[in-house]
Amino acid sequence: MAYIPQILFIIALGIAAYLISRRVILIKKSIQLGKPLDRTDQPAKRLKNMLLVAFGQKKMWDKPVVGLMHFVVYAGFLLINIEVLEIIIDGIFGTHRIFAEPLGSFYTVVINFFEILALGVTLACVIFLIRRNVLKIGRLSPSKSKDMKGWPAMDANIILVFEIVLMMAFLTMNAADAILQERAVGHYADANAGPFVISQWFIPILDNFSSTLLVATERISWWFHILGIMAFALFVTYSKHLHIALAFPNTYFANLAPRGEIANMPAVTKEVKIMMELEQPGEEEEVGRFGAKDVEDLTWKSLMDAYSCTECGRCTSECPANQTGKELSPRKIMMSTRDRLEDIQKGWLANGYDHKDDKSLNGDYISEEELLACTTCNACVEACPIQISPLDIILELRRYNVMEESQAPQSWNMMFQNLETSMSPWKFSPDDRGKWADDINS
């Protein structure tokens, strides 16, 4: 009977590990649908970029108050969960606060630091909830942004409430534990930890409990906290909060080329060079598809971008096309790409990995109107806190529409014709191109 809690804990840990690993494998397989792309150059520069942007939250500090609150939640998530290691060891071996004895008085310092962070995380999450649901900040509110209607808004609220509840369970557990230590009840007397700076606020409430009820409160809080963390870890793999993990590789593999440098298709570049006699024709290669019709035509990095998107809406709030009432929302481009990947996963789970449906990202998830509204100004790329590029996806989808389906506005077709005949977007002879400057020095 004494080993039943340990057995139950190991079973719960095993189930959580299995479900999370299965989900991670599925996401990895989805990202690998994308075309190859080499992003292994300049490793030192890439590492520096990751440390500054992902770890250091560099781009969050352009809005200092929000940046500070986000940093508290981020730091709290990373640091408070170090105590999960102690909980896991205690759960497996049936011990209680296993690190208290080897760390001595420093253990209390560590737990107090975690408690201060827990309070900071709780306050920040409450403010974020108020911003979303009471103040209704434009880019975050479903009443002001159609991108956030339904699941996206619910997802954000669930995560914020989840974090608050987990922090409360952590503090309640510590408060009950401190009282039980003071009363010298069972093994709690040997913990020798405390007093705790934040959870002591709960003590006046819990001090009226009997020792039996206190033990139950401490155990329920302990189990709720660790099972909640397992559930949280699984939920994150279905949530926009997957950026907690993917922000790091996403910034490491970010595009280091100057903003505005658009990648050409090698096959098209080769044909142009041959036409201009800059290169000799060789063995003909299979060109394949121009642009992207579906997710497998995008690069793996664009698909990682989709899973890394935080749905913060900074890209859309900076987009000039969106500001003028156009249909385009860069955030929605990323959300639609992830929705497409999730639908493909559902097909895999139901029918096997060879399953193909009759849908495509281009048309079924993202409309031509959205694609044509983009001015390629790179404002969305510049605004993103983790260097996601909606523009890469837009350009590939638009390239497919123009080059494969001949779907382009009449004004574009006129421009293309002028480029072909006059080697410029304007309809006049190349010999007359410099005439505008003839009278400048006269």
Side-chain angles (χ1 to χ4, degrees):
M1 291 293 289
Y3 295 102
I4 289 179
Q6 293 162 248
I7 294 170
L8 292 175
F9 181 83
I10 292 171
I11 291 172
L13 189 63
I15 292 172
Y18 167 74
L19 293 175
I20 293 168
S21 62
R22 188 178 72 165
R23 181 68 182 154
V24 168
I25 291 170
L26 200 59
I27 292 171
K28 180 182 177 183
K29 188 171 181 65
S30 299
I31 293 173
Q32 289 174 336
L33 281 173
K35 295 191 299 185
L37 177 68
D38 185 11
R39 287 283 173 86
T40 58
D41 61 314
Q42 306 181 70
K45 189 173 182 180
R46 293 188 176 280
L47 180 61
K48 179 182 178 181
N49 186 61
M50 181 185 73
L51 293 176
L52 286 174
V53 179
F55 189 78
Q57 307 276 291
K58 176 183 176 182
K59 299 188 76 171
M60 292 297 297
W61 294 101
D62 59 340
K63 299 179 179 179
V65 176
V66 175
L68 177 61
M69 290 190 296
H70 189 275
F71 182 80
V72 168
V73 174
Y74 159 76
F77 176 83
L78 291 181
L79 298 177
I80 293 174
N81 285 334
I82 294 174
E83 54 94 24
V84 173
L85 176 61
E86 180 182 54
I87 292 179
I88 290 174
I89 294 173
D90 286 343
I92 293 174
F93 296 102
T95 53
H96 181 70
R97 294 194 182 270
I98 189 69
F99 293 155
E101 184 175 348
L103 292 180
S105 59
F106 184 66
Y107 179 82
T108 301
V109 175
V110 172
I111 298 299
N112 280 332
F113 176 66
F114 291 163
E115 287 206 346
I116 293 170
L117 277 178
L119 177 63
V121 169
T122 302
L123 294 175
C125 287
V126 169
I127 294 172
F128 285 144
L129 282 170
I130 293 171
R131 280 165 52 84
R132 287 178 175 274
N133 300 287
V134 180
L135 300 180
K136 299 184 185 297
I137 302 298
R139 61 188 170 88
L140 304 175
S141 171
S143 64
K144 297 182 180 179
S145 174
K146 60 183 179 181
D147 296 350
M148 298 304 292
K149 292 186 183 298
W151 169 248
M154 185 184 298
D155 177 22
N157 287 330
I158 288 173
I159 285 288
L160 291 171
V161 172
F162 216 140
E163 292 188 14
I164 292 171
V165 172
L166 287 177
M167 294 303 103
M168 290 299 100
F170 171 64
L171 295 173
T172 302
M173 176 186 74
N174 285 347
D177 199 323
I179 298 172
L180 290 168
Q181 289 180 48
E182 186 179 345
R183 295 182 185 179
V185 175
H187 63 269
Y188 295 97
D190 301 325
N192 194 28
F196 303 127
V197 293
I198 305 300
S199 60
Q200 67 176 339
W201 299 346
F202 293 34
I203 289 179
I205 301 172
L206 299 180
D207 211 16
N208 296 320
F209 289 12
S210 67
S211 295
T212 303
L213 184 55
L214 271 176
V215 170
T217 301
E218 191 275 336
R219 284 293 83 191
I220 290 171
S221 299
W222 186 92
W223 277 100
F224 186 89
H225 184 62
I226 189 60
L227 291 178
I229 288 173
M230 294 179 192
F232 182 89
L234 177 60
F235 181 80
V236 159
T237 64
Y238 292 90
S239 164
K240 67 168 189 156
H241 289 78
L242 190 58
H243 74 271
I244 293 170
L246 287 184
F248 295 93
N250 203 68
T251 50
Y252 182 86
F253 294 115
N255 187 6
L256 299 181
R259 295 279 187 263
E261 182 177 316
I262 299 174
N264 295 318
M265 290 187 68
V268 175
T269 302
K270 183 177 180 179
E271 289 297 319
V272 172
K273 287 182 177 180
I274 292 172
M275 182 181 67
M276 299 178 68
E277 299 183 351
L278 297 175
E279 188 174 311
Q280 295 300 315
E283 185 178 343
E284 290 192 10
E285 299 178 2
E286 181 74 25
V287 175
R289 177 175 285 161
F290 293 105
K293 181 180 182 182
D294 208 350
V295 288
E296 63 265 19
D297 301 319
L298 300 170
T299 67
W300 63 265
K301 179 58 172 62
S302 289
L303 303 187
M304 180 184 283
D305 278 353
Y307 273 114
S308 303
C309 179
T310 70
E311 298 178 12
C312 66
R314 292 190 177 202
C315 55
T316 296
S317 67
E318 295 293 328
C319 175
N322 185 271
Q323 290 176 8
T324 56
K326 300 290 195 304
E327 187 67 22
L328 176 63
S329 166
R331 171 171 59 186
K332 192 262 180 183
I333 296 292
M334 305 315 301
M335 293 167 69
S336 295
T337 304
R338 185 168 60 216
D339 288 344
R340 174 59 182 151
L341 290 169
E342 290 292 304
D343 286 347
I344 289 174
Q345 288 179 17
K346 292 174 184 176
W348 286 347
L349 294 174
N351 305 291
Y353 287 119
D354 295 329
H355 174 73
K356 300 285 185 182
D357 59 24
D358 58 355
K359 294 183 178 180
S360 64
L361 178 65
N362 197 341
D364 291 314
Y365 294 79
I366 299 174
S367 69
E368 182 183 10
E369 185 179 356
E370 293 173 81
L371 300 176
L372 293 179
C374 178
T375 66
T376 68
C377 68
N378 269 288
C380 57
V381 183
E382 190 65 34
C384 181
I386 54 174
Q387 299 180 318
I388 289 169
S389 179
L391 182 58
D392 288 347
I393 297 175
I394 292 171
L395 289 177
E396 288 301 312
L397 298 182
R398 196 157 70 182
R399 179 178 280 168
Y400 173 83
N401 287 347
V402 173
M403 301 183 72
E404 292 277 355
E405 301 293 333
S406 299
Q407 293 177 0
Q410 181 60 30
S411 58
W412 289 26
N413 288 325
M414 293 172 60
M415 177 186 67
F416 296 149
Q417 185 177 358
N418 291 337
L419 285 169
E420 186 176 351
T421 58
S422 304
M423 291 179 287
S424 78
W426 301 279
K427 193 175 183 178
F428 54 77
S429 169
D431 296 334
D432 298 333
R433 190 171 298 167
K435 284 187 175 181
W436 66 272
D438 288 349
D439 299 329
I440 289 179
N441 297 318
S442 59

Coordinates of all heavy atoms in Angstrom, one line a residue, residues 12-70:
A12 N 1.3 8.0 -14.3 CA 0.9 9.3 -14.8 C 2.1 9.9 -15.7 O 1.9 10.5 -16.7 CB 0.5 10.2 -13.7
L13 N 3.3 9.8 -15.1 CA 4.5 10.4 -15.8 C 4.7 9.7 -17.2 O 5.0 10.3 -18.2 CB 5.7 10.2 -14.9 CG 7.0 10.9 -15.4 CD1 6.8 12.4 -15.4 CD2 8.1 10.6 -14.5
G14 N 4.5 8.3 -17.2 CA 4.7 7.6 -18.4 C 3.6 7.9 -19.4 O 4.0 8.1 -20.6
I15 N 2.4 8.1 -19.0 CA 1.3 8.4 -19.9 C 1.6 9.8 -20.5 O 1.4 10.0 -21.8 CB -0.1 8.4 -19.2 CG1 -0.4 7.0 -18.9 CG2 -1.1 9.0 -20.1 CD1 -1.7 6.9 -18.0
A16 N 2.0 10.8 -19.7 CA 2.2 12.1 -20.2 C 3.4 12.1 -21.1 O 3.3 12.8 -22.2 CB 2.6 13.0 -19.0
A17 N 4.5 11.4 -20.8 CA 5.6 11.3 -21.7 C 5.3 10.7 -23.0 O 5.7 11.2 -24.1 CB 6.8 10.5 -21.0
Y18 N 4.4 9.7 -23.0 CA 4.0 9.0 -24.3 C 3.2 10.0 -25.1 O 3.4 10.1 -26.3 CB 3.2 7.8 -24.0 CG 2.5 7.2 -25.2 CD1 3.2 6.5 -26.2 CD2 1.1 7.4 -25.3 CE1 2.5 6.0 -27.3 CE2 0.4 6.9 -26.4 CZ 1.1 6.2 -27.4 OH 0.5 5.7 -28.5
L19 N 2.2 10.6 -24.5 CA 1.3 11.5 -25.3 C 2.1 12.7 -25.9 O 1.9 13.1 -27.0 CB 0.2 12.0 -24.4 CG -0.8 10.9 -24.0 CD1 -1.9 11.5 -23.0 CD2 -1.5 10.3 -25.2
I20 N 3.0 13.3 -25.1 CA 3.8 14.4 -25.5 C 4.7 14.0 -26.6 O 4.8 14.7 -27.6 CB 4.5 15.1 -24.3 CG1 3.5 15.7 -23.4 CG2 5.5 16.1 -24.8 CD1 4.2 16.1 -22.0
S21 N 5.4 12.9 -26.5 CA 6.4 12.4 -27.5 C 5.7 12.1 -28.8 O 6.2 12.4 -29.9 CB 7.1 11.2 -27.0 OG 6.3 10.1 -26.7
R22 N 4.5 11.5 -28.7 CA 3.7 11.2 -29.9 C 3.3 12.5 -30.6 O 3.4 12.6 -31.9 CB 2.5 10.4 -29.6 CG 1.7 9.9 -30.8 CD 0.5 9.1 -30.4 NE -0.6 9.9 -29.9 CZ -1.8 9.5 -29.8 NH1 -2.2 8.2 -30.1 NH2 -2.8 10.3 -29.3
R23 N 3.0 13.5 -29.9 CA 2.6 14.8 -30.5 C 3.8 15.5 -31.1 O 3.7 16.1 -32.2 CB 1.9 15.7 -29.4 CG 1.5 17.0 -29.8 CD 0.3 16.9 -30.8 NE 0.0 18.3 -31.2 CZ -0.6 18.6 -32.3 NH1 -0.9 17.6 -33.2 NH2 -0.9 19.8 -32.7
V24 N 5.0 15.4 -30.4 CA 6.2 16.0 -30.9 C 6.6 15.4 -32.2 O 7.0 16.1 -33.2 CB 7.3 15.9 -29.8 CG1 8.7 16.3 -30.4 CG2 7.0 16.8 -28.6
I25 N 6.5 14.1 -32.3 CA 6.9 13.3 -33.5 C 6.0 13.7 -34.6 O 6.4 13.9 -35.8 CB 6.8 11.8 -33.2 CG1 7.9 11.4 -32.3 CG2 6.9 11.0 -34.6 CD1 7.8 9.9 -31.8
L26 N 4.7 13.9 -34.4 CA 3.7 14.3 -35.4 C 4.1 15.7 -35.9 O 4.0 16.0 -37.1 CB 2.3 14.3 -34.8 CG 1.2 14.2 -35.8 CD1 1.3 12.9 -36.7 CD2 -0.2 14.2 -35.1
I27 N 4.4 16.6 -35.0 CA 4.7 18.0 -35.4 C 6.0 18.0 -36.2 O 6.1 18.7 -37.2 CB 4.8 18.9 -34.2 CG1 3.5 19.1 -33.5 CG2 5.5 20.3 -34.5 CD1 3.5 19.8 -32.2
K28 N 7.0 17.2 -35.8 CA 8.3 17.1 -36.5 C 8.0 16.6 -37.9 O 8.6 17.1 -38.9 CB 9.2 16.2 -35.7 CG 10.6 16.1 -36.4 CD 11.5 15.1 -35.7 CE 12.8 14.9 -36.4 NZ 13.7 13.9 -35.7
K29 N 7.2 15.6 -38.0 CA 6.9 15.0 -39.4 C 6.2 16.0 -40.2 O 6.4 16.1 -41.4 CB 6.0 13.8 -39.2 CG 5.8 13.0 -40.5 CD 5.2 11.7 -40.2 CE 5.0 10.9 -41.6 NZ 6.3 10.5 -42.1
S30 N 5.3 16.9 -39.6 CA 4.6 17.9 -40.4 C 5.6 19.0 -40.9 O 5.5 19.4 -42.0 CB 3.6 18.6 -39.5 OG 2.6 17.7 -39.0
I31 N 6.5 19.4 -40.1 CA 7.5 20.4 -40.5 C 8.4 19.8 -41.6 O 8.8 20.5 -42.5 CB 8.4 20.8 -39.3 CG1 7.5 21.6 -38.3 CG2 9.6 21.6 -39.7 CD1 8.2 22.0 -37.0
Q32 N 8.7 18.5 -41.5 CA 9.5 17.8 -42.5 C 8.8 17.7 -43.9 O 9.5 17.3 -44.8 CB 10.0 16.5 -42.0 CG 11.0 16.6 -40.9 CD 11.4 15.3 -40.3 OE1 10.6 14.3 -40.3 NE2 12.6 15.2 -39.7
L33 N 7.5 18.0 -43.9 CA 6.9 18.0 -45.2 C 7.5 19.1 -46.2 O 7.4 19.0 -47.4 CB 5.4 18.4 -45.1 CG 4.4 17.2 -44.6 CD1 3.0 17.8 -44.3 CD2 4.3 16.2 -45.7
G34 N 8.1 20.1 -45.5 CA 8.6 21.3 -46.3 C 9.8 20.9 -47.1 O 10.5 19.9 -46.9
K35 N 10.1 21.7 -48.1 CA 11.2 21.5 -49.0 C 12.5 21.8 -48.2 O 12.5 22.6 -47.3 CB 11.1 22.4 -50.2 CG 10.0 22.1 -51.1 CD 10.1 22.9 -52.4 CE 10.1 24.4 -52.2 NZ 10.0 25.2 -53.5
P36 N 13.6 21.2 -48.7 CA 14.9 21.4 -48.0 C 15.4 22.9 -48.1 O 15.0 23.6 -49.0 CB 15.9 20.5 -48.8 CG 15.0 19.5 -49.5 CD 13.7 20.2 -49.8
L37 N 16.0 23.3 -47.1 CA 16.6 24.7 -47.0 C 17.8 24.7 -46.1 O 17.7 24.2 -45.0 CB 15.5 25.7 -46.5 CG 16.0 27.1 -46.3 CD1 16.2 27.8 -47.7 CD2 15.0 27.9 -45.5
D38 N 18.9 25.1 -46.6 CA 20.2 25.1 -45.8 C 20.3 26.4 -45.0 O 20.4 27.5 -45.5 CB 21.4 25.0 -46.7 CG 22.7 24.9 -46.0 OD1 22.6 24.6 -44.7 OD2 23.8 25.0 -46.6
R39 N 20.2 26.2 -43.7 CA 20.3 27.3 -42.7 C 21.4 27.0 -41.7 O 21.2 27.2 -40.5 CB 19.0 27.6 -42.0 CG 18.0 28.3 -43.0 CD 18.3 29.8 -43.1 NE 17.4 30.4 -44.1 CZ 16.2 31.0 -43.9 NH1 15.7 30.9 -42.6 NH2 15.5 31.6 -44.8
T40 N 22.5 26.4 -42.2 CA 23.6 26.0 -41.3 C 24.8 26.9 -41.4 O 25.8 26.7 -40.7 CB 24.0 24.6 -41.5 OG1 24.4 24.4 -42.9 CG2 22.9 23.6 -41.3
D41 N 24.7 28.0 -42.2 CA 25.8 28.9 -42.3 C 25.9 29.8 -41.1 O 25.0 30.0 -40.3 CB 25.6 29.7 -43.6 CG 24.3 30.6 -43.5 OD1 23.3 30.0 -43.1 OD2 24.4 31.8 -43.8
Q42 N 27.1 30.4 -40.9 CA 27.3 31.4 -39.9 C 26.8 31.0 -38.5 O 26.0 31.7 -37.9 CB 26.7 32.8 -40.2 CG 27.1 33.3 -41.6 CD 26.4 34.6 -41.9 OE1 26.8 35.6 -41.3 NE2 25.5 34.6 -42.9
P43 N 27.3 29.8 -38.0 CA 26.7 29.3 -36.7 C 26.9 30.3 -35.6 O 26.1 30.4 -34.7 CB 27.5 28.0 -36.5 CG 28.7 28.1 -37.4 CD 28.3 29.0 -38.6
A44 N 28.0 31.0 -35.5 CA 28.3 31.9 -34.4 C 27.3 33.1 -34.4 O 26.7 33.4 -33.4 CB 29.7 32.5 -34.5
K45 N 27.0 33.6 -35.6 CA 26.0 34.7 -35.7 C 24.6 34.2 -35.4 O 23.8 34.9 -34.8 CB 26.1 35.2 -37.2 CG 25.2 36.5 -37.3 CD 25.4 37.1 -38.7 CE 24.6 38.4 -38.9 NZ 24.9 39.0 -40.2
R46 N 24.3 32.9 -35.8 CA 23.0 32.3 -35.5 C 22.8 32.1 -34.0 O 21.8 32.4 -33.5 CB 22.8 31.0 -36.3 CG 22.7 31.2 -37.8 CD 22.4 30.0 -38.5 NE 22.2 30.3 -39.9 CZ 21.2 30.8 -40.5 NH1 20.1 31.1 -39.7 NH2 21.1 31.1 -41.8
L47 N 23.9 31.6 -33.4 CA 23.8 31.4 -31.9 C 23.6 32.7 -31.2 O 22.8 32.8 -30.3 CB 25.1 30.7 -31.4 CG 25.1 30.4 -29.9 CD1 24.0 29.5 -29.5 CD2 26.5 29.8 -29.5
K48 N 24.3 33.8 -31.6 CA 24.1 35.1 -31.0 C 22.7 35.6 -31.2 O 22.1 36.2 -30.3 CB 25.1 36.1 -31.6 CG 25.0 37.5 -31.0 CD 26.0 38.4 -31.7 CE 25.9 39.8 -31.2 NZ 26.9 40.8 -31.9
N49 N 22.2 35.4 -32.4 CA 20.8 35.9 -32.7 C 19.8 35.2 -31.8 O 18.9 35.8 -31.3 CB 20.5 35.6 -34.2 CG 19.2 36.2 -34.6 OD1 18.9 37.4 -34.5 ND2 18.3 35.3 -35.0
M50 N 20.0 33.8 -31.6 CA 19.1 33.1 -30.8 C 19.1 33.6 -29.3 O 18.1 33.7 -28.7 CB 19.4 31.6 -30.8 CG 18.5 30.7 -30.0 SD 19.0 29.0 -30.0 CE 20.5 29.1 -28.9
L51 N 20.3 33.8 -28.8 CA 20.5 34.2 -27.4 C 19.9 35.6 -27.2 O 19.3 35.8 -26.2 CB 22.0 34.2 -27.0 CG 22.7 32.9 -27.0 CD1 24.2 33.0 -26.7 CD2 22.0 32.0 -25.9
L52 N 20.0 36.5 -28.2 CA 19.5 37.8 -28.0 C 18.0 37.9 -28.2 O 17.3 38.5 -27.4 CB 20.2 38.8 -29.0 CG 21.6 39.2 -28.8 CD1 22.1 40.0 -29.9 CD2 21.7 40.0 -27.5
V53 N 17.5 37.2 -29.2 CA 16.1 37.4 -29.6 C 15.2 36.4 -28.8 O 14.1 36.8 -28.3 CB 15.9 37.2 -31.1 CG1 14.4 37.3 -31.5 CG2 16.7 38.2 -31.9
A54 N 15.6 35.1 -28.7 CA 14.7 34.2 -28.0 C 15.0 34.1 -26.5 O 14.1 34.3 -25.7 CB 15.0 32.8 -28.6
F55 N 16.2 34.0 -26.2 CA 16.6 33.9 -24.7 C 16.5 35.2 -24.1 O 16.0 35.4 -23.0 CB 17.9 33.3 -24.6 CG 18.3 32.9 -23.1 CD1 17.7 31.8 -22.5 CD2 19.1 33.7 -22.4 CE1 18.0 31.5 -21.2 CE2 19.4 33.4 -21.0 CZ 18.8 32.3 -20.5
G56 N 17.0 36.3 -24.7 CA 17.1 37.6 -24.1 C 15.8 38.4 -24.4 O 15.7 39.6 -23.9
Q57 N 14.9 37.9 -25.2 CA 13.6 38.6 -25.5 C 13.9 40.0 -26.0 O 13.1 41.0 -25.8 CB 12.8 38.8 -24.2 CG 12.6 37.5 -23.4 CD 11.4 36.7 -24.0 OE1 10.2 37.2 -23.8 NE2 11.6 35.6 -24.6
K58 N 14.9 40.2 -26.9 CA 15.3 41.5 -27.4 C 14.2 42.3 -28.0 O 14.1 43.5 -27.7 CB 16.4 41.3 -28.4 CG 16.9 42.5 -29.0 CD 18.0 42.2 -30.1 CE 18.4 43.5 -30.8 NZ 19.4 43.2 -31.9
K59 N 13.4 41.7 -28.8 CA 12.4 42.5 -29.6 C 11.1 42.7 -28.8 O 10.2 43.4 -29.2 CB 12.1 41.7 -30.9 CG 13.3 41.6 -31.8 CD 12.9 41.0 -33.2 CE 12.3 42.1 -34.0 NZ 12.1 41.7 -35.4
M60 N 11.0 42.2 -27.6 CA 9.9 42.4 -26.7 C 10.0 43.8 -26.0 O 9.0 44.4 -25.6 CB 9.7 41.3 -25.7 CG 9.3 40.0 -26.3 SD 7.7 40.0 -27.1 CE 6.6 40.4 -25.7
W61 N 11.2 44.3 -25.9 CA 11.5 45.5 -25.1 C 11.2 46.8 -25.8 O 11.3 47.8 -25.2 CB 12.9 45.5 -24.6 CG 13.1 44.3 -23.6 CD1 13.7 43.1 -23.9 CD2 12.7 44.2 -22.3 NE1 13.8 42.3 -22.8 CE2 13.1 42.9 -21.8 CE3 12.0 45.1 -21.4 CZ2 12.9 42.5 -20.5 CZ3 11.8 44.6 -20.1 CH2 12.2 43.4 -19.6
D62 N 10.7 46.7 -27.1 CA 10.3 47.9 -27.7 C 9.0 48.5 -27.0 O 8.7 49.7 -27.2 CB 10.0 47.7 -29.2 CG 9.0 46.7 -29.5 OD1 8.7 45.9 -28.6 OD2 8.5 46.6 -30.6
K63 N 8.3 47.6 -26.3 CA 7.2 48.0 -25.5 C 7.5 47.6 -24.0 O 7.2 46.5 -23.6 CB 5.9 47.4 -25.9 CG 5.5 47.8 -27.4 CD 4.2 47.1 -27.8 CE 3.9 47.5 -29.3 NZ 2.7 46.9 -29.8
P64 N 8.2 48.5 -23.3 CA 8.9 48.1 -22.0 C 8.0 47.4 -21.0 O 8.4 46.4 -20.4 CB 9.5 49.4 -21.5 CG 9.6 50.3 -22.7 CD 8.5 49.9 -23.6
V65 N 6.8 48.0 -20.8 CA 5.9 47.4 -19.7 C 5.5 46.0 -20.1 O 5.6 45.1 -19.3 CB 4.7 48.3 -19.5 CG1 3.7 47.7 -18.5 CG2 5.1 49.7 -19.0
V66 N 5.0 45.9 -21.3 CA 4.6 44.5 -21.8 C 5.8 43.6 -21.8 O 5.7 42.4 -21.5 CB 3.9 44.6 -23.2 CG1 3.6 43.2 -23.7 CG2 2.6 45.5 -23.1
G67 N 6.9 44.1 -22.3 CA 8.1 43.3 -22.3 C 8.5 42.8 -21.0 O 8.9 41.6 -20.8
L68 N 8.4 43.7 -19.9 CA 8.8 43.3 -18.6 C 7.8 42.2 -18.1 O 8.3 41.2 -17.5 CB 8.7 44.5 -17.6 CG 9.0 44.2 -16.2 CD1 10.4 43.6 -16.0 CD2 8.8 45.4 -15.3
M69 N 6.5 42.3 -18.3 CA 5.6 41.3 -17.9 C 5.8 40.0 -18.6 O 5.7 38.9 -18.0 CB 4.1 41.8 -18.1 CG 3.7 43.0 -17.2 SD 1.9 43.3 -17.3 CE 1.8 43.9 -19.0
H70 N 6.0 40.1 -19.9 CA 6.3 38.8 -20.6 C 7.6 38.2 -20.1 O 7.6 36.9 -20.0 CB 6.4 39.2 -22.1 CG 6.5 37.9 -23.0 ND1 7.7 37.3 -23.3 CD2 5.5 37.3 -23.6 CE1 7.4 36.3 -24.0 NE2 6.1 36.2 -24.3

